[in-house]
Amino acid sequence: QVHVAQSGGGSVQNGGNLTLSCVVSGSTSVANCVAWFRQVPGEAREGVAAIYSLTGTPVYADSVLDRFHISQDKDKNMVSLQMKDLRPEDTAIYYCARSRPGNCNYWTTQSVYPWWGQGTQVTVSS
């Protein structure tokens, strides 16, 4: 049974930094995609960043490129999302998700991910 547990998040002012972490347990797969999504109430959930576990190759949404950094610690089964220069439009609930075995070619497609974290609020005030 795969389980995704998130931590981090909170409230910061415009230009601040936060880090989110995600620990995936119960899986022996070494090649999969772990992604971060975010959702504002009333809007569609959008992909923010993802990392291919086998190679550590990251991908990012244009809106967060050069501000967010996704990384993994294989020993801890952890994926982290470092968020810098946060803006009010980054305010959302952030979710970590793990795909079935495979790459990140379709990383923004939610149906690729059977396992999701509980979500964590990120609030950026102006």
Side-chain angles (χ1 to χ4, degrees):
Q1 183 75 14
V2 178
H3 182 65
V4 179
Q6 301 177 215
S7 60
S11 299
V12 294
Q13 292 190 328
N14 190 22
N17 305 326
L18 284 173
T19 297
L20 305 179
S21 294
C22 170
V23 175
V24 180
S25 59
S27 172
T28 58
S29 172
V30 296
N32 48 71
C33 190
V34 178
W36 288 95
F37 286 76
R38 65 186 181 187
Q39 187 170 25
V40 175
E43 298 185 11
R45 191 172 296 186
E46 64 170 349
V48 174
I51 189 165
Y52 180 42
S53 63
L54 188 63
T55 61
T57 303
V59 288
Y60 299 95
D62 289 345
S63 59
V64 305
L65 196 60
D66 297 328
R67 298 190 298 123
F68 289 14
H69 176 68
I70 189 170
S71 61
Q72 64 178 358
D73 183 332
K74 289 186 175 182
D75 291 338
K76 297 180 179 179
N77 294 323
M78 178 182 291
V79 172
S80 296
L81 185 68
Q82 295 176 290
M83 304 182 292
K84 298 181 179 181
D85 188 24
L86 283 161
R87 305 165 181 170
E89 54 264 38
D90 294 316
T91 295
I93 298 173
Y94 283 71
Y95 297 90
C96 180
R98 221 302 292 276
S99 76
R100 296 179 184 86
N103 57 37
C104 289
N105 284 354
Y106 301 98
W107 72 276
T108 60
T109 303
Q110 295 182 51
S111 60
V112 167
Y113 306 93
W115 302 287
W116 291 79
Q118 74 276 24
T120 185
Q121 178 70 46
V122 171
T123 302
V124 185
S125 57
S126 58

